[in-house]
Amino acid sequence: MTVLTSAGIVIVPLSVAHADQVAALHRRYIDTGFLSSLGLRFLRRLYRAIPHVPSGFGYVGLRGERVAGFIACAEHVETLYRQALSRHGVSMAVALFPQALRPSVLRRIIQSLRYPSQIGGAYPPAEVLSIVVNEAARGTGLAAQLMERAAAEFRVRGIHQVKVLVWNRKTRAKRFYEKSGFRRAGEVPYHDRVLDAYVATLGEDAPRTGAA
Ligand SMILES: CC(C)(COP(=O)(O)OP(=O)(O)OC[C@H]1O[C@@H](n2cnc3c(N)ncnc32)[C@H](O)[C@@H]1OP(=O)(O)O)[C@@H](O)C(=O)NCCC(=O)NCCS
């Protein structure tokens, strides 16, 4: 089912066709993140892989052919990485070349792959990996609708607890998560910064995210 927001934006499942625009939005608006530092080619590969692996899914808000915003999610982050690497590992490795030859970058890639198991147990394995709405569409409710679609899909998959990790300086994003029913549950050291971990409990039938 597609949803038309008041801004004339249609929400559809993330597909390979959207990956390049989604990667560009990620790079532009989550520019401080480690994934962005791995470059646009890597982000394109990652977003091409996400809708193809069982553990991943996402939604995009389309105005015409343009992606105005997106959300990308993992049912289980570790599994998503494993599935993406086993199916798309070669193209992802090629996309990382030559940065991955630098020991500091290689070390951070390994840390990124390990963080889900390192924090495992403390937080739910399901995660909102990224959400971005371009500046023109902010404040329109698109972000909330993307989150609602994601929450509905998590519920369909039998998942009722979801986390999101956000750089602790991202005030607007943190307010958005709180507004969406996420509550701060702790912090996670991630590379050279501290991320706030937010967790939402998704009710059985509730249409929106909501804390327990
Ligand atoms: C996070 C994001 C998707 C939220 O979408 P949005 O359209 O901005 O969200 P909303 O406007 O519905 O909610 C943001 C809340 O932040 C607050 N806010 C609004 N403008 C703000 C500003 N300039 N500075 C700080 N907070 C602000 C408000 O509390 C607002 O809630 P309200 O509408 O009830 O007043 C979007 O801001 C974005 O793409 N940011 C850049 C990418 C990013 O940081 N992604 C998250 C990475 S973890």
Side-chain angles (χ1 to χ4, degrees):
M1 188 185 70
T2 56
V3 179
L4 257 177
T5 71
S6 54
I9 294 169
V10 183
I11 297 181
V12 299
L14 170 69
S15 79
V16 175
H18 311 125
D20 290 3
Q21 287 190 63
V22 163
L25 280 174
H26 181 127
R27 183 91 195 272
R28 178 158 183 206
Y29 292 115
I30 314 184
D31 53 341
T32 48
F34 173 62
L35 286 175
S36 283
S37 74
L38 295 178
L40 198 52
R41 277 197 309 157
F42 176 79
L43 285 172
R44 284 180 183 150
R45 292 289 167 192
L46 181 67
Y47 285 110
R48 279 176 209 170
I50 286 173
H52 267 187
V53 299
S55 197
F57 67 91
Y59 293 95
V60 296
L62 291 178
R63 185 179 276 132
E65 299 286 304
R66 302 298 305 166
V67 174
F70 73 90
I71 189 166
C73 304
E75 195 176 311
H76 192 288
V77 184
E78 238 178 318
T79 308
L80 178 127
Y81 281 156
R82 215 174 30 244
Q83 290 169 344
L85 285 172
S86 78
R87 293 175 195 207
H88 302 265
V90 173
S91 59
M92 287 168 105
V94 169
L96 281 173
F97 188 82
Q99 302 100 292
L101 295 179
R102 286 170 29 213
S104 62
V105 174
L106 190 59
R107 198 169 52 244
R108 295 176 85 184
I109 292 170
I110 291 167
Q111 278 175 1
S112 291
L113 293 174
R114 280 196 182 149
Y115 94 80
S117 61
Q118 283 169 350
I119 66 168
Y123 302 105
E127 184 171 319
V128 172
L129 298 167
S130 48
I131 179 168
V132 173
V133 164
N134 72 21
E135 275 156 309
R138 287 199 195 147
T140 63
L142 172 60
Q145 290 201 29
L146 289 167
M147 187 63 86
E148 283 178 23
R149 290 296 300 268
E153 177 62 21
F154 275 123
R155 281 190 214 100
V156 165
R157 292 172 182 238
I159 291 162
H160 296 284
Q161 279 228 310
V162 181
K163 72 174 176 307
V164 65
L165 301 178
V166 55
W167 186 29
N168 56 11
R169 292 197 198 157
K170 283 210 166 249
T171 312
R172 184 164 186 156
K174 292 197 312 185
R175 287 198 192 147
F176 168 73
Y177 294 133
E178 282 161 10
K179 208 171 72 166
S180 304
F182 284 81
R183 297 293 171 257
R184 191 178 176 283
E187 54 184 40
V188 175
Y190 187 70
H191 304 303
D192 53 358
R193 59 190 48 173
V194 175
L195 304 178
D196 282 329
Y198 281 77
V199 173
T201 300
L202 312 175
E204 288 290 339
D205 302 307
R208 290 177 56 87
T209 53

